[in-house]
Amino acid sequence: MARLLSFKAAVFFTLFFFISTDFVCCNNGRRVGDPLETELSGFSVPLEHSFELDDTGKFQVRGSLLLKTGREPSVSLTQNQLSEEDRAKLKEVAAVDGLYRIRVPRVFLQADRQTEWQMEGHLTAFVRACAMVESHLSDVITLHTDVSGYLIGVSIVTLPGACRGTEVEDEVDLEVFNTTLSIMAPVNAPGPETALFLERMEQESEKKGKNPQEQKSFFAKYWYLILGGAIFLMVTNSAQPPAGGGREQS
Amino acid sequence: MGKLILLLLNLIVLYNIVAAVFEDQVGKFDWRQQYVGKVRFSHFDTHMQSSKKVLLATESNVFAAINTRTGDLFWRHVDKTGPEGNIDAVLHHGQDAVLVVGNGRVLRSWDISVGGLNWEIVLDSGSFRSACLVGQQGTVKHAAVLKKSVISLHYLSNGHQKWVENLPESETVNYQAVHSDGNGQVYALGVVSHSHIAVVAYSAEDGEIIKQVSVEAPWLSNIPASCAVVGQGMLTCVDSTTMSIYTLDLYQQLQMIQIPLQSLGLEVDPGFQPHLVSHQPHPARQPLSEFLLQLGPDHHLLLQLNNGQIVILRDFKPALLVSFATTGEKTVAAVMSPKNKTACGINLFSAESGRRLLDTTLIFTVDPNAGKPERLHVQAFLKKDDSVGYRVMVQSEDHALTFIQQPGRVMWTREEALSDVVTMEMVDLPLTGTQAELEGEFGKKAAIQDGLMSMVLKRLSSQLIMLQTWVAHLWKLFYDARKPRSQVKNDVSIENLSRDEFNLQKMMVMVTSSGKLFGIDSKTGSILWKHYLDNIPSNAAFNLMVQRTTAHFPHPPQCTLLIKDKDSGLAALHVFNPIFGRKSQVAPPALSQPILQSLLLPLMDQDYAKVLLLVDDQYKVSAFPSTKNVLQQLQETAASIFFYLVDSSQGRLSGYRLRTDLSTEQVWEVVIPVEVQNIVSVKGKRPNEHVHSQGRVMGDRSVLYKYLNPSLLAVVTESTDLHQERSFIGILLIDGVTGRIIHEAVQRKARGPVHVVHSENWVVYEYWSTKSRRNEFSVIELYEGMELYNSTVFSSLDRPHAPQVLQQSYIFPSSISTMEATLTEKGITSRHLLIGLPSGGILSLPKMFLDPRRPEIVSEQSREENLIPYAPELIIRTEWFINYNQTVSRVRGIYTAPSGLESTCLVVAYGLDIYQTRVYPSKQFDVLKDDYDYMLISSVLFALFFATMISKRLAEVKLLNRAWR
């Protein structure tokens, strides 16, 4: 069920991305004469993968990521099919419990010009190749950006994630990637919520205000007792004035 | 009404967690040791013959008085850390001690008898150069302070400024010293490097310049290092390049007179910077005309300046340390000379004649596990027969102070290295001899080799030994019971160390920045062993690991200390036995390459030592111990050994996997741009942490499962932009195996320093909110949800679903110094956070107050779950201070260790002081109280027993009677 759901989500997302890419296309179509605007709206970087028997990194292009810059960056992916050769190799690597690795170049998503978004180095992540095979190439790739829009990390998981050793018979299952792609910016951590707390306190005091009997303070309730006590004390004190003090003053 | 219920609820909740120390429990389970740090200045209180004070000003910005009889503190003043509280100079006169603090910022006078502040004044800015007392006609009433461009004179009685004068030509002349010898003049001495020396004489009365001369001295660059004023205002300097002594009469100032050392028949050791020491017994009088000259590491001379002529009074060779001391009218020089490898002799010589005084030999035994003596502080006094007696305080390289009396009795030792503990571990004590015997008897090997008969015999013999020890124990109890309680001393020594019933007593292994290791008994705080590692680089980083615990008898426990030079990255290993402190016979590998990372694997070799992996800068891995067995195990498990490296200068976090040939391959990489934010801390979980429950039971009886990823890392970053509107703190939760970013959050308008605790399924961090100008706590908790993905085992490689993240923040009314979480054996006990506050308190804050599930609005379910309603402020309750009035100064770290009792967690807080105690986060649920009424319970039991017996009998009789009827 969960798988179905996520599959649905994947379909939804892919649909969404198609729409958004379409939208971008439309945008491009309208403003042909404005090259700066097209650069602003997005750029594409290669998504590369590597799976080798000796686990050396030989990265090949798997597809291209179309990154849309701006306040709310989004991403879409167009990717190639796995060739027959690659499929065989992936199965071999999976058999020896090798790694399937992906990498994307570091980019800056808030850049205005093309020269600025490129940065040195790559971000890499991996899954076990067997998980890739057993999930029939259905993976979830997440790109993480930091506050200012730098891409800081990439992560890949497969669904299902486990390696159970089930043989994948059908070659066709390993042909097309079924990728769910998303881009994540950091969430804002909450601060102490004083406003809500104060509101709650106010509500409570209001509730109390409706009931004047309870609102009476200690003094308001027992003033006569306190007054009586005080008078009593004064009376007892004045009955015996300190004789010594009086004499000294006179 | 609602509020009342709320209050009641709060009270009920709090009732469970309030725990305080009773008055009669003070000091029973806890102890504190107070330190002062490495001594920079020391003065013996001499104004009274019977005084037993020594004043110490230290590099840790502490000014203290110590009892010379016992070594205990009389009083102590802890100033600010860093250059702000740095003690530049101490002037001691009579009852007062005047301190120049913070590079000449503040002048303070202390009353040394009680340690009270007489006065304090703030001086004008300008970097401090020198200070001295100024006397006139035999009385001392002023203190002169020399700064870069001004000289000022202050009254000793109230600190008021008498006069302040600008120094002439202070842009070119580097004034370095100030001198006064009671003739109403104050001399400021400055130097123009490799050109000339400038002498300015001020009138002490009104600050008028009396004389101002400059004398050629092209060889001079530093006055305090090579010059001293001797006798009647003779500035005497020694220079190693020209191999000469120069003298200059400050009164007449004609020119420098050069006296070649060769003419005296002297020679400076090659490469040694010669050094002059003079002595001024009283600030209102002239310095002695005798002075000390050091020509080599172990070559000292006592010289006399007589009418411009230098006379050699005595040649001390070999002599490690020499120091002057004055009592009454007599001045002596104490000379420490090496006798043999383990002992040094100290002798007194008359300063005037250089003759050795009779019966003044003192033997100082040099501890092979301590550093070499570095300085000598001599307290001289007049005996009844008018001869000079003395005591010495020897300061050694490892910052230890040893106070010795004639003929060599050590009165006390203070291990001041413990004022700067870097890291520590707690190790279980070994079993007693008999317990070990039993262990050995039924070991696997023994059972195979021996037959039935010999096993029986062995059993009998060990039973006999046990009986013997029991009888001895009873006898000791009986013997002690007859003595008054105060005399019974439980002396702890290495020999009688053994594990107690509940494993509450442990060995604390402490590593100090000076390179001295200590083994301290956690119950009493007594130092059981110490070991000084010489040639430790000054900027070393230490990592202490317990490779083998005491659980593997007969193999001795083993600790490994990784010492790494922070600059070069080169490292060395020191392997030792944590119980006895002895260096292990196991030879550590020589590490020729800089080390990037060390990791202790849960794998063990055939001798039960955990495997330590060291990653060098070529990303090659070496194992220690590296036996065949270990290498084989490593090959088998290589594919599942992942580790990560952090390069905070480039913001790079990268993960590696071990290959079977012990090389590594990079498998993931996360790069945080250093232009925006810097990684300030990366925290994993503690490997010895146990989590008892996998989930939390909710109000509706369903279970919310915790996300318990053992390889989760909490990475904290701080923004490079420090503007209060734009600064932020980033929290990244990264899986250490796959490099997957589990959660990424930013706390906007916040700034460090950030303190983080990461444990179980939560991360707690504390930061400074620039917007609200207050300290705030934030807690992140991770949950898998209502279902576990894989309940049997956690694998980072197979957890496709991201956890649910809950977060809540709170206001904390104080800043904090350090933070740690309690740790117990099985993790059943609820957790507390131990927070070291700058005020010296250690707060035990229940984790349940930092729970992101605290509801805003109280519902039936949240009440069922015992959740405290959300309140934005965390309140500090005084009963939460676990150290009641035992202030722990400058807490830098808190170490927690589980004990054998599930309810009890051992806590050590270290900083300038060391404080050890136990905490019971859920109260002592597994211990009977001290005042448990055994008598009542047993008498009730007996009474019930007899009552049943009697009633049974009666019932029988009754039944019988009924049957007869």
Side-chain angles (χ1 to χ4, degrees), chain A residues 101 145 187-190 200, chain B residues 657 666 744 746 748 809 856:
Chain A
R101 303 197 236 181
T145 64
V187 295
N188 276 330
R200 208 179 73 204
Chain B
R657 184 164 85 155
Q666 195 183 29
E744 192 188 356
V746 281
R748 291 187 189 270
S809 299
E856 298 274 355

Side-chain angles (χ1 to χ4, degrees), chain B residues 647-789:
Chain B
D647 182 355
S648 55
S649 63
Q650 293 180 28
R652 194 179 296 272
L653 287 145
S654 38
Y656 293 81
R657 184 164 85 155
L658 196 66
R659 284 186 179 166
T660 45
D661 59 345
L662 292 189
S663 63
T664 58
E665 54 177 335
Q666 195 183 29
V667 288
W668 59 266
E669 192 166 26
V670 166
V671 188
I672 295 163
V674 283
E675 304 91 69
V676 184
Q677 47 192 337
N678 290 316
I679 300 173
V680 287
S681 94
V682 178
K683 282 246 173 161
K685 290 177 187 172
R686 287 179 63 168
N688 58 345
E689 173 184 282
H690 291 273
V691 181
H692 184 255
S693 76
Q694 288 245 315
R696 285 177 64 162
V697 181
M698 315 273 281
D700 58 358
R701 296 281 175 263
S702 59
V703 178
L704 184 62
Y705 287 100
K706 295 174 184 170
Y707 179 78
L708 296 168
N709 184 349
S711 48
L712 193 69
L713 305 173
V715 180
V716 180
T717 60
E718 276 179 34
S719 61
T720 46
D721 189 350
L722 290 176
H723 186 271
Q724 60 168 13
E725 286 294 314
R726 292 187 296 271
S727 69
F728 64 88
I729 279 167
I731 307 289
L732 278 150
L733 300 180
I734 296 182
D735 187 306
V737 173
T738 61
R740 186 180 174 197
I741 297 175
I742 305 285
H743 181 64
E744 192 188 356
V746 281
Q747 197 86 48
R748 291 187 189 270
K749 291 173 187 166
R751 203 164 55 190
V754 186
H755 300 272
V756 197
V757 171
H758 182 193
S759 177
E760 282 189 49
N761 65 327
W762 47 265
V763 178
V764 171
Y765 59 93
E766 188 262 7
Y767 57 90
W768 171 257
S769 164
T770 52
K771 186 187 166 201
S772 315
R773 298 177 170 277
R774 63 192 177 199
N775 290 286
E776 290 178 3
F777 261 100
S778 197
V779 56
I780 299 176
E781 287 197 359
L782 302 170
Y783 290 98
E784 290 224 348
M786 294 302 174
E787 275 175 48
L788 268 184
Y789 178 78

Side-chain angles (χ1 to χ4, degrees), chain B residues 501-746:
Chain B
E501 255 174 298
F502 298 124
N503 202 4
L504 290 164
Q505 187 179 10
K506 294 200 180 197
M507 177 68 84
M508 292 160 53
V509 180
M510 297 191 124
V511 181
T512 63
S513 63
S514 66
K516 197 169 188 182
L517 312 182
F518 291 90
I520 298 176
D521 171 33
S522 76
K523 198 173 183 182
T524 58
S526 49
I527 296 168
L528 297 178
W529 59 262
K530 41 200 170 189
H531 187 88
Y532 179 62
L533 303 169
D534 34 11
N535 59 53
I536 295 283
S538 59
N539 58 348
F542 297 92
N543 191 2
L544 182 65
M545 288 153 287
V546 182
Q547 274 199 299
R548 180 164 52 219
T549 59
T550 21
H552 305 287
F553 186 82
H555 299 289
Q558 184 179 323
C559 273
T560 303
L561 179 68
L562 179 75
I563 306 144
K564 181 178 156 182
D565 189 323
K566 270 185 197 158
D567 292 339
S568 66
L570 286 172
L573 288 175
H574 174 68
V575 187
F576 62 100
N577 180 335
I579 304 298
F580 303 106
R582 280 194 293 265
K583 201 172 172 181
S584 169
Q585 266 113 36
V586 184
L591 308 168
S592 52
Q593 294 281 342
I595 297 296
L596 293 178
Q597 174 79 289
S598 68
L599 45 155
L600 200 62
L601 297 181
L603 296 179
M604 287 190 196
D605 72 346
Q606 71 272 26
D607 293 339
Y608 306 101
K610 281 185 188 163
V611 177
L612 176 69
L613 287 190
L614 298 162
V615 186
D616 64 19
D617 63 342
Q618 304 295 317
Y619 304 105
K620 280 267 182 195
V621 172
S622 53
F624 169 69
S626 57
T627 55
K628 222 176 192 178
N629 178 306
V630 169
L631 294 177
Q632 196 188 339
Q633 281 190 59
L634 277 179
Q635 269 180 6
E636 281 163 15
T637 53
S640 60
I641 296 176
F642 291 84
F643 62 91
Y644 67 94
L645 296 176
V646 183
D647 182 355
S648 55
S649 63
Q650 293 180 28
R652 194 179 296 272
L653 287 145
S654 38
Y656 293 81
R657 184 164 85 155
L658 196 66
R659 284 186 179 166
T660 45
D661 59 345
L662 292 189
S663 63
T664 58
E665 54 177 335
Q666 195 183 29
V667 288
W668 59 266
E669 192 166 26
V670 166
V671 188
I672 295 163
V674 283
E675 304 91 69
V676 184
Q677 47 192 337
N678 290 316
I679 300 173
V680 287
S681 94
V682 178
K683 282 246 173 161
K685 290 177 187 172
R686 287 179 63 168
N688 58 345
E689 173 184 282
H690 291 273
V691 181
H692 184 255
S693 76
Q694 288 245 315
R696 285 177 64 162
V697 181
M698 315 273 281
D700 58 358
R701 296 281 175 263
S702 59
V703 178
L704 184 62
Y705 287 100
K706 295 174 184 170
Y707 179 78
L708 296 168
N709 184 349
S711 48
L712 193 69
L713 305 173
V715 180
V716 180
T717 60
E718 276 179 34
S719 61
T720 46
D721 189 350
L722 290 176
H723 186 271
Q724 60 168 13
E725 286 294 314
R726 292 187 296 271
S727 69
F728 64 88
I729 279 167
I731 307 289
L732 278 150
L733 300 180
I734 296 182
D735 187 306
V737 173
T738 61
R740 186 180 174 197
I741 297 175
I742 305 285
H743 181 64
E744 192 188 356
V746 281

Side-chain angles (χ1 to χ4, degrees), chain B residues 180-196:
Chain B
S180 156
D181 51 14
N183 62 352
Q185 292 184 5
V186 181
Y187 298 92
L189 309 174
V191 66
V192 176
S193 201
H194 305 297
S195 163
H196 62 269

Side-chain angles (χ1 to χ4, degrees), chain B residues 130-150:
Chain B
S130 181
C132 78
L133 290 168
V134 179
Q136 257 175 309
Q137 285 115 37
T139 54
V140 183
K141 284 190 177 151
H142 306 105
V145 178
L146 182 79
K147 291 198 167 189
K148 190 175 181 296
S149 55
V150 287

